[in-house]
Amino acid sequence: METRDRVSGHRAWLVLPAFLALGITAGHAADQPLSGGDFTFGYSSSFVDTLDPHVTSQSVSHFIMTNIFDPLVYLRANGEFSPGLADSWSASADGLVWTFKLKRGVTFHDGTPFNAESVKFSFDRMVDPETKSRQAGVALRGFYDHTEVVDGNTVRIVLKKPKASFLTVISQVFFAPVSPKAVKEQGGEFGRKPVGTGPFKFAEWVQNQHVKLVRNADYNWGPPFLHKGPAYFATLTFRQIPDAGARLAALESGQVDAVDMPPTHQLERLRADPRFQVKSAPQPGMPWGWPMNVKRAPTDELKVRQAMIYAFDRAALVKNVLQGAYKPAYGPLTPVTFGYNPAVEKMYPYDPRKAETLLDEAGWKKGPDGMRAKDGKPLVIEHYVFYTTSEAEFVQAELKKVGIKSNISLQEVGTVNQVATEGIKNNLAPLPFASLDPELMSILFHSRNQGKGFNWTFHTIKEIDDLLDRGEVELDAKKRADVYGRFQVLAMENALFLPAFVRETIHVYKAPVQGVQFNRRGYDAYFHEMWWKR
Amino acid sequence: MARYLIRRLAGTLFVLLGVSAAVFTLMNTLPGDPATMLVSHFGASARDIEILREQLGLNDPFVVRFGRFVGGAVQGDLGKSFQQNRPVARILLENTGPTVRLALLAVGLAIVLGVLTGVAAAVRRGSWTDFLTMLASLLGISMPGFWLGLMLMLLFAVHLRWLPALGDQTWRGIVLPALTLALPASATIARLTRSSMLEVLREDYLRSARAKGLPERAVIFRHALRNALISVVTFVGLQFGLLLGGSVVVESLFSRQGLGQLVVAAVFARDIPIVQGWCLLVAAAYSLVNLAVDLSYALINPRIRYDAA
């Protein structure tokens, strides 16, 4: 029956121009959000593992869970915090004790009241080894101590050591309170039938196919930057469509109302099509690019690494390979990330001549074929990639122009992970990570995360480690931004990272969908705020 | 017959043990650390990955892990999925129904289409019908399933709008995925049917059947086809196993629930328990379908018996 609602809604939209032509306009009413209708989103990711926020680490799970759960605080797209399930919060001067005053009158979808007990239950659950958490528990580990219930509507979260990103971290739905009753009753099946406080209630999940949610009619505790009251859509369905061609076919044949990640070569056509609207949001964190392995020749030489960055025309990559869908990147952080330092933008202008000079200086001489060698050894870069080779091929062509040969090995993601983690066979491997906080840089650049984990550069620069350690605990925002600003310059001076482009989340919606708004992660949209224009 | 059955079923158990050992070894020698894959959506420190490995039991020696797996499996416990943190047996069960439905429908379609066109081609050997059917079947065999599916989707969903582009649990949703699987299989069946029909059509007993005054239709379908069917049944049996395992492309293209999609995601995520469970399930299904195929020979041709040997 919901399907029929949606179809009639669309028909109404189709005849609207006729009414306008007849002069029977609805006046301002057309801009008033309308309640009702069904909405189906076709998403690209091939798999939702679990909708248990405390267990999963997947972006697509977060995307769906954003509608089922509310965090204690929201981080707005503009970087400001806003009340979520907590009305207000404060931290002790040493940053160790965080007190949250909770909203009253909030209930979980199973009817149990939300209170201080459920917050304590949830945080304790995240760090419980039994939960086998891949994100929430991991992020809290090492600095979370315990949670105290002060009274029914006040909790105190006590930390072992200060954590500058604490509020930012817990603004993610991975850290949202869950219904203790539902967890106790369902045990391991909670992730299949999640119960939260959000604007939509879980309804149905056919694995590898769709997740269906229905509007929570009681919802009136949304964050102040969104409208008060229940969501407009009556139902919300997330449909898994991993194949890009099939995803567009489903959109154009009307089976879904929106999709994410359209093929970039179709963007121009979609933007020009009045049936659709293209929306995008930049992602905070690390841009798409390649950590450079300083352990293995020839990227163990600073001048070779610097030459590679000079030789790589990122603006041309964006224009010619990515059809202008993204923007060039200049350092290890994207511009929307806290602490981004625009100084990196001037450090490596596209300058192939400079690249050649650096290589000459380093003793890599050009042979008759235009390729370089030193002491009879050719200058060769081993480049491991997964998923797609188009960016790698572009870099290959750029490097060839200055006399560097590069070999591309297309492997599946687990193999590339392992090769890059060992760092014996590769010089380059792509590693993009989205994250709300520059603290991510510790995972990618701190030397303690080499050999296991995600520092694929293998540098031994102590100053970088020290800066990253300070960034994690510095509570003064100004000083903290300076720490990460210095880190970015240092990382680029040492040419540890070959930046490529800043990714954006791209969604295509049918034209009558109103109220599209992304969150700070750039990945999630607030479906609570959207409605069908008729 | 009973002795034959018991022998075959016992053999199946050995097959399953061998499959488990092989899959277990392969999955554990595959590059890529399951714990790293689990956190690779957001990254984690080296220490956190180590703790996750410990929690998942990945730091135990190979023999201990294999023993744990086999010990559990004989009790019907296939372990817990790394990704979903739920029992593997339960996850497989949820995904088996849709895949089996799809495979059954595809096999049914393939048999009907393949046998009819194969018979038609054989009976009118050398005619235009024969030539065109065989040309079409050659195309059908050579077309990649992925491409065929996308073409069917563009034609029937985007242009004609007769059927949904995405498969779901309704009959309309299953048509395109089933056709995508059935068309290449039916092409092979058509060629097989044609060639074995041509052999059978030369036999003397058909001449006597005609001489008795039987109508041509009965001669073809009751006498000739019945004998020609043995090789087709063997092929269909093999094909059914393939369909169970090979629904991967079709399920992900049409975004249908099922074992194919499940196992692909599991391989990429190094969700070892799921991959092991799936291999056991497919191996068991294969063995049982093969047994059913062997038994069906006796039904098709009563001269075939199993106890004599």
Side-chain angles (χ1 to χ4, degrees), chain A residues 47 49 57 132 134-135 138 141 189 192 206-209 239-240 252 255 412 414 418 433 449 452, chain B residues 31-32 38 40-42 46 48 50 55 82-84 86 161 164-167 169 255 257 261 270:
Chain A
F47 191 66
D49 53 356
S57 67
K132 296 197 178 90
R134 274 103 68 173
Q135 161 77 299
V138 169
R141 194 181 291 140
E189 295 295 302
R192 298 285 296 177
V206 179
Q207 205 182 3
N208 295 324
Q209 189 169 297
R239 188 69 217 252
Q240 167 184 327
E252 299 200 50
Q255 232 183 324
E412 128 332 313
Q418 178 152 342
F433 269 123
N449 290 320
K452 198 172 254 179
Chain B
L38 276 178
S40 71
H41 294 273
F42 79 106
D48 295 323
E50 194 48 43
Q55 287 177 357
F82 290 163
Q83 281 192 303
Q84 301 183 47
R86 305 167 63 225
R161 304 230 170 174
L166 304 176
Q169 309 308 329
S255 118
Q257 183 184 23
Q261 279 219 69
R270 299 291 185 276

Side-chain angles (χ1 to χ4, degrees), chain B residues 13-52:
Chain B
L13 284 183
F14 276 100
V15 168
L16 294 185
L17 192 68
V19 166
S20 320
V23 173
F24 197 84
T25 313
L26 280 176
M27 279 308 285
N28 282 285
T29 42
L30 209 59
D33 169 38
T36 307
M37 301 301 292
L38 276 178
V39 295
S40 71
H41 294 273
F42 79 106
S45 72
R47 201 175 127 260
D48 295 323
I49 292 172
E50 194 48 43
I51 292 172
L52 194 57

Side-chain angles (χ1 to χ4, degrees), chain B residues 83-100:
Chain B
Q83 281 192 303
Q84 301 183 47
N85 205 15
R86 305 167 63 225
V88 170
R90 188 161 181 167
I91 296 168
L92 289 176
L93 201 67
E94 286 166 5
N95 284 279
T96 303
T99 298
V100 169

Side-chain angles (χ1 to χ4, degrees), chain A residues 333-356:
Chain A
L333 285 175
T334 70
V336 289
T337 319
F338 173 87
Y340 175 71
N341 187 352
V344 294
E345 291 165 21
K346 305 228 159 49
M347 289 178 73
Y348 293 92
Y350 172 56
D351 191 347
R353 191 139 358 117
K354 178 123 190 205
E356 304 244 15

Side-chain angles (χ1 to χ4, degrees), chain A residues 27-68:
Chain A
H28 66 283
D31 298 326
Q32 290 295 314
L34 293 168
S35 186
D38 302 290
F39 189 85
T40 304
F41 191 98
Y43 66 87
S44 56
S45 179
S46 62
F47 191 66
V48 178
D49 53 356
T50 165
L51 294 176
D52 187 333
H54 301 164
V55 173
T56 184
S57 67
Q58 290 197 355
S59 294
V60 62
S61 300
H62 193 281
F63 178 59
I64 296 172
M65 293 184 310
T66 296
N67 305 286
I68 307 173

